[in-house]
Amino acid sequence: MVSHERSLTQIVFNSEGDLLFSASKDSVVNAWFTSNGERLGTFGGIKGDGGHNGTVWTVAVDSQTRFLITGAADNTMKLWEIATGKCLFTWEFLTAVKRVAWNEDDDTILSITEQRSGQPSIIRIYKINRDEPTSQTTTPITTMTLSGSKATVALWTPLSEYILTGHESGKVAKYDVKSGEEVNYVDDAHSGEITDIQSSPDGTYFITSSKDKTARIFDSETLEEMKVFPTETPLNSACIAPLRPYIILGGGQDAMSVTTTSQRAGKFESRFWHKLFEEEVGRVKGHFGPINTLAVHPQGKAYASGAEDGFVRVHWFDESYFRSRPFGDLEPEVEV
């Protein structure tokens, strides 16, 4: 699937899994039909349409596939109407917006702005007016100013009471949405920058990827480390497959050190690991640059990868994936 002129930063499926949204460094967000790879539309990219000027770092779609939120290097966050491609509202900040996310009720969003030029890293929570989408408030309901290491990624917990964050230092933390207080943290969850954080289907645990070449699963309630997946390459993304006991990891050496190495040496494959046995079970090739972002179909039928090469690839799982016996002889016999 041809995608963008520059490298991908984040991709997300909508809740039905029939659309995929991709953000990249070419300042536009694309929407794709997952069934055939055709482009449905573009958000931004035309002068005067209210689009971003600069890298779009992050994209999030609500559960009704009605609204899209994007955050970019031009220090703005934007609300879009998916059906028309119109920019409905723009929030302006002093630094870049690195991550956005909807809560499960689709009425609140979070944004992380970057720590730069004397500005601290700040997590802001905004109520979204769905009835009059062009008139949003610019005043957050909660502001969390981070004093230590900056937050790079974040997601909501189920019931939207807490936010889980991953930080540049490798720290994982949990914040109370109402009070803005940090209620729990693990300072040395990783030994390098956390590059992605994604939830399990039921939200009871989550996975992080890191430049320290590992991915880890943590309990959402206690932040206790449950599993570790060590690799030999920096990781940029990790996701948890529904229905099957697998996780998918992606990464590779950065662009600086890639030009002199072969595709294999660059480690540009998606890696499948058994979630419980902590063993690698397979790899999928295809990209010509490090994988920057991974997303899994909400019903577990496919996964998508976006890379430094500007391509998005959607892989549909075949029947053997669903028929395989990931627990070997431990597999319960199913009566047909």
Side-chain angles (χ1 to χ4, degrees):
M1 189 194 287
V2 178
S3 169
H4 289 269
E5 292 171 15
R6 295 189 58 198
S7 53
L8 275 295
T9 52
Q10 192 178 9
I11 54 175
V12 290
F13 283 93
N14 68 341
S15 57
E16 281 81 33
D18 60 336
L19 295 177
L20 184 78
F21 295 87
S22 58
S24 93
K25 291 187 176 177
D26 62 10
S27 79
V28 298
V29 171
N30 284 331
W32 311 88
F33 289 109
T34 55
S35 55
N36 57 13
E38 279 185 26
R39 184 158 62 178
L40 165 68
T42 298
F43 302 86
I46 303 164
K47 271 210 173 354
D49 72 348
H52 287 291
N53 299 314
T55 297
V56 183
W57 287 117
T58 176
V59 59
V61 58
D62 71 358
S63 67
Q64 300 169 26
T65 318
R66 189 178 159 204
F67 296 125
L68 199 67
I69 289 276
T70 55
D74 62 3
N75 303 352
T76 68
M77 176 172 73
K78 291 178 182 286
L79 177 70
W80 306 82
E81 186 170 46
I82 291 172
T84 62
K86 260 196 202 135
C87 178
L88 301 171
F89 196 82
T90 300
W91 291 262
E92 295 185 359
F93 304 100
L94 294 171
T95 58
V97 181
K98 295 304 292 248
R99 189 55 74 113
V100 294
W102 290 92
N103 73 342
E104 62 181 24
D105 295 329
D106 289 339
D107 62 2
T108 312
I109 56 168
L110 71 81
S111 76
I112 300 178
T113 50
E114 202 174 23
Q115 174 185 337
R116 209 179 60 227
S117 25
Q119 294 298 320
S121 173
I122 300 175
I123 302 170
R124 296 176 179 87
I125 313 294
Y126 292 93
K127 271 276 181 233
I128 294 296
N129 181 348
R130 297 184 70 86
D131 301 323
E132 292 178 44
T134 52
S135 60
Q136 303 295 336
T137 175
T138 55
T139 309
I141 53 173
T142 313
T143 302
M144 307 162 200
T145 305
L146 311 186
S147 51
S149 169
K150 70 179 180 189
T152 48
V153 291
L155 54 77
W156 296 86
T157 60
L159 307 179
S160 309
E161 293 171 348
Y162 299 99
I163 286 170
L164 299 165
T165 57
H167 296 249
E168 190 178 46
S169 63
K171 166 181 160 178
V172 166
K174 186 175 182 177
Y175 290 87
D176 184 296
V177 170
K178 283 205 176 91
S179 69
E181 297 293 310
E182 185 180 74
V183 292
N184 198 357
Y185 68 92
V186 180
D187 251 339
D188 55 354
H190 282 276
S191 59
E193 179 184 336
I194 295 177
T195 50
D196 198 9
I197 186 168
Q198 295 198 34
S199 179
S200 64
D202 66 358
T204 56
Y205 56 95
F206 64 94
I207 192 165
T208 54
S209 61
S210 171
K211 296 283 187 207
D212 71 4
K213 305 182 180 179
T214 69
R216 292 163 194 263
I217 287 179
F218 297 91
D219 183 287
S220 299
E221 186 62 38
T222 63
L223 300 190
E224 186 184 337
E225 184 185 280
M226 299 164 75
K227 298 285 175 187
V228 184
F229 309 95
T231 71
E232 68 296 334
T233 190
L235 294 176
N236 296 328
S237 195
C239 57
I240 299 166
L243 307 179
R244 311 298 281 158
Y246 302 122
I247 56 138
I248 311 166
L249 311 180
Q253 293 169 302
D254 60 33
M256 297 279 287
S257 41
V258 155
T259 47
T260 54
T261 54
S262 71
Q263 183 180 344
R264 179 72 195 180
K267 311 281 190 291
F268 305 143
E269 303 114 327
S270 305
R271 297 128 182 277
F272 282 71
W273 284 66
H274 197 295
K275 184 169 66 182
L276 302 178
F277 298 158
E278 297 171 85
E279 290 169 358
E280 189 174 333
V281 294
R283 294 188 183 188
V284 178
K285 285 196 178 75
H287 284 291
F288 295 96
I291 292 170
N292 292 336
T293 173
L294 291 166
V296 69
H297 189 286
Q299 282 90 50
K301 298 175 183 172
Y303 85 97
S305 53
E308 195 71 23
D309 60 10
F311 285 83
V312 175
R313 301 178 66 91
V314 177
H315 302 263
W316 291 88
F317 297 125
D318 57 22
E319 230 176 289
S320 64
Y321 172 84
F322 297 103
R323 275 210 318 263
S324 67
R325 292 164 57 92
F327 296 101
D329 294 337
L330 302 173
E331 198 85 20
E333 289 300 325
V334 179
E335 294 288 334
V336 178

